[in-house]
Amino acid sequence: MIKKAILPVAGLGTRFLPASKSIPKEMVTVVDRPAIEYVVKEAVAAGIEQIILVTHSAKGAIENYFDRHFELETTLREKKKFDLLAEITQIIPDNVQVVSVRQAQPLGLGHAVLCAKQLIGQDDFAVLLPDVLVRHKTTQHKNDLAQMMTRFQHTHAAQIMVEAVAADLVDQYGIVDVVEQPAEGQSVLMRGIVEKPAVGTAPSNLSVVGRYILPAKIMQLLENTPKGAGNEIQLTDAIAMLQQDESVEAYRMQGQTFDCGNKLGYLKAVLHYAVDHPTLGADFKAMIAELGL
Ligand code: G1P
């Protein structure tokens, strides 16, 4: 069973300036909670019990958010604001632990994952990139990450979550080469994977979303991964090496993604999550209608 998830959060978020100048981009609010909470909850919903933040000295606010806040709790209790008290103490269930390790140098995503090597030990694990929010369809029995975990349990093939992108956007993502086009919710054998191929050279239109189920042995491969695209140690390159030795599968997601790493993607996320919000949604929809766009 996969119980550990690595969330690389050390990036400085230059695509999100000025907001990310003095708060971590992961703490920017999507409706009424920081973006990172949605990602942690996605992992927890799939059965993850240890969240490993690979973080940076400027990002203490993320760890604080998942910690208890004694003064605030005492004040809320004294003021009998029990709903709010429950809300801030139940962000993650008691059986879930959030731990962190520092990425001392910005050497790339592969390097960030490698920073968690000691905490991972011999365990297979998940990786969730927190820029991307994944919303599952209401018709889905379990979320996409959970589906990947079940598949991994049966086949022991690493699972890489993908979705189709427009041909002119392939140079922004990892792109997979697959033996056949997978249906949504299906895993198929991967023949290759390449980081940010030039437009017109990509092996498919299936882009890496930022959700991975990986075997512990990928850590050894990461130790031997040379710098690649962008002069960084790429997780994609280590996965390509893994795939030389054993089966790796691309899992085509069923849910919807929002790339909060860029401003328009973030606004789209706010719009969708606000419209569906249990208490704010109806009024928010009325506000949009008032705009008469
Ligand atoms: C990273 C990965 C890339 C993936 C993308 C998803 O790139 O390296 O393979 O497609 O996340 O968001 P980054 O966006 O960090 O440049």
Side-chain angles (χ1 to χ4, degrees), residues 15 109 129 132 172-174 195-196 208-210 212 234 236:
R15 285 190 297 165
L109 176 59
L129 306 189
V132 180
Q172 296 180 19
Y173 301 97
E195 184 66 16
K196 305 192 173 85
V208 175
V209 165
Y212 312 79
Q234 296 290 349
T236 296

Side-chain angles (χ1 to χ4, degrees), residues 7-50:
L7 275 63
V9 296
L12 291 179
T14 46
R15 285 190 297 165
F16 223 89
L17 286 168
S20 55
K21 184 182 171 197
S22 61
I23 56 164
K25 65 175 174 182
E26 295 81 4
M27 292 302 292
V28 173
T29 313
V30 175
V31 189
D32 57 355
R33 57 204 64 234
I36 185 98
E37 183 181 324
Y38 295 90
V39 182
V40 167
K41 285 199 165 142
E42 176 195 344
V44 170
I48 294 295
E49 292 181 357
Q50 188 178 56

